[in-house]
């Protein structure tokens, strides 16, 4: 049974609407697809309607922005109760941090003599989308400043880059506990993708706090990393998942 446990719609930084995303999943023969937009459940309802229409099972999910040892870690949350206030409030706080970061990023870019405004960024995103650096990257591509998203991250938006501005993120152990308290299933996303802040010992500690799984098969993991993560998951009794982290046409990969 083909399933995909990690996708993004235009409610965050994907390019397909939730309806289009579910239809694509069905067209590719998937039986199950999880919608895991960054820090929002805004796409769930539309995706659920499309899932019925397309005969696909939808897994309602979120990809939460968290921090561990000062580094960014993404936590997938499956089937949490979205009305559980502590989790809803925490997501709202992260989205607030994203909104207040945007004008600061625009200032930094203008200091680099790049003519860009918040409106340029919003114009390229769906209405009400949770805005992130990928949208800023898209605006830079649109202006011809860079050739593609990755180049924008490499030259300007990545950590240490001239337009990098930090934003609020939940502490990872707390996020794991929040997801569990909301009745959800926490799975750490691509832990060895852009950094390896999560050691085997850190993963063991998170398992004690309620972590259920590790996303092992992910495009950012080389074969050796997958093998080692699969072994760690087995040792700790954690589920090993695999997924596409699909962003529509919004990612060069
Ligand atoms: P944000 O949450 O707004 O800080 O943006 C983080 C998102 O940007 C991640 O979810 C990735 O999809 C994307 N991202 C981070 N680093 C890179 C990179 N080097 N190249 C392309 N996309 C990246
Ligand atoms: Zn994303
Ligand atoms: Fe991620
Ligand atoms: Fe993702």
């Amino acid at each position: 049974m083909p399933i995909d446990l990690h996708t993004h719609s235009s409610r965050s930084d994907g390019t397909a609407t939730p309806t289009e995303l579910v239809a694509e999943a069905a067209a590719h023969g998937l039986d199950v697809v999880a919608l895991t937009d960054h820090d929002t459940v805004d796409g769930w309802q539309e995706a659920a309607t499309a899932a019925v229409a397309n005969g696909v099972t939808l897994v309602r999910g979120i990809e939460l922005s968290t921090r561990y040892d000062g580094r960014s870690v993404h936590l997938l949350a499956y089937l949490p109760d979205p009305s559980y206030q502590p989790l809803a409030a925490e997501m709202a706080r992260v989205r607030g941090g994203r909104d207040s970061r945007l004008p600061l990023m625009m200032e930094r870019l203008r200091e680099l003599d790049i003519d860009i405004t918040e409106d340029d960024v919003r114009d390229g995103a769906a209405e009400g989308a949770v805005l992130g650096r990928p949208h800023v990257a898209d605006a830079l591509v649109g202006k011809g400043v860079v050739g593609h998203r990755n180049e924008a991250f490499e030259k300007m938006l990545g950590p240490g880059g001239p337009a990098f501005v930090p934003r609020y993120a939940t502490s990872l152990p707390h996020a794991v506990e929040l997801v569990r308290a909301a009745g959800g299933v926490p799975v750490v996303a691509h832990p060895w993708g852009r950094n390896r802040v999560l050691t085997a010992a850190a993963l063991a500690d998170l398992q004690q706090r309620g972590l259920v799984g590790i996303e092992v098969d992910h495009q950012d993991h080389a074969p050796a990393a997958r093998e080692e993560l699969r072994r760690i998951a087995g040792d700790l009794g954690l589920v090993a998942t695999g997924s596409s982290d699909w962003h529509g046409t919004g990612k060069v990969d």
Side-chain angles (χ1 to χ4, degrees), residues 13-140:
D13 55 357
T15 50
T17 64
T19 302
E20 291 163 350
L21 184 152
V22 170
E24 285 258 0
H28 283 82
L30 294 182
D31 295 305
V32 177
V33 63
L35 176 65
T36 54
D37 278 316
H38 297 279
D39 307 304
T40 182
V41 299
D42 202 39
W44 284 11
Q45 207 177 348
E46 188 185 316
T49 303
V52 172
N54 287 276
V56 173
T57 298
L58 174 74
V59 176
R60 292 163 175 79
I62 313 164
E63 185 173 20
L64 298 167
S65 301
T66 81
R67 194 90 73 222
Y68 191 87
D69 244 354
R71 307 295 294 273
S72 162
V73 176
H74 290 168
L75 183 69
L76 294 160
Y78 298 112
L79 309 172
D81 175 0
S83 68
Y84 178 66
Q85 270 314 303
L87 178 61
E90 192 57 29
M91 283 198 290
R93 189 172 172 191
V94 173
R95 291 194 303 267
R98 289 176 169 285
D99 290 341
S100 49
R101 171 181 65 168
L102 199 54
L104 300 173
M105 291 179 79
M106 296 301 103
E107 258 175 56
R108 293 276 188 92
L109 288 167
R110 284 194 293 265
E111 281 163 16
L112 298 170
D113 284 326
I114 297 164
D115 175 32
I116 187 170
T117 65
E118 273 181 67
D119 282 341
D120 295 329
V121 178
R122 288 186 204 286
D123 286 350
E127 203 174 314
V130 173
L131 293 178
R133 287 178 290 161
H135 299 102
V136 177
D138 289 348
L140 292 169

Side-chain angles (χ1 to χ4, degrees), residues 6-8 12-13 36-38 63 74 76 189-190 215 218-219 244-247 251:
H6 184 165
T7 70
H8 297 270
S12 62
D13 55 357
T36 54
D37 278 316
H38 297 279
E63 185 173 20
H74 290 168
L76 294 160
H190 48 73
E215 188 180 50
H218 183 278
Q219 56 187 327
S244 68
D245 202 355
W246 193 69
H247 283 73
K251 247 184 171 176

Side-chain angles (χ1 to χ4, degrees), residues 108 133 153-166:
R108 293 276 188 92
R133 287 178 290 161
F153 275 90
E154 279 155 28
K155 292 190 173 158
M156 295 164 205
L157 305 177
F164 178 76
V165 178

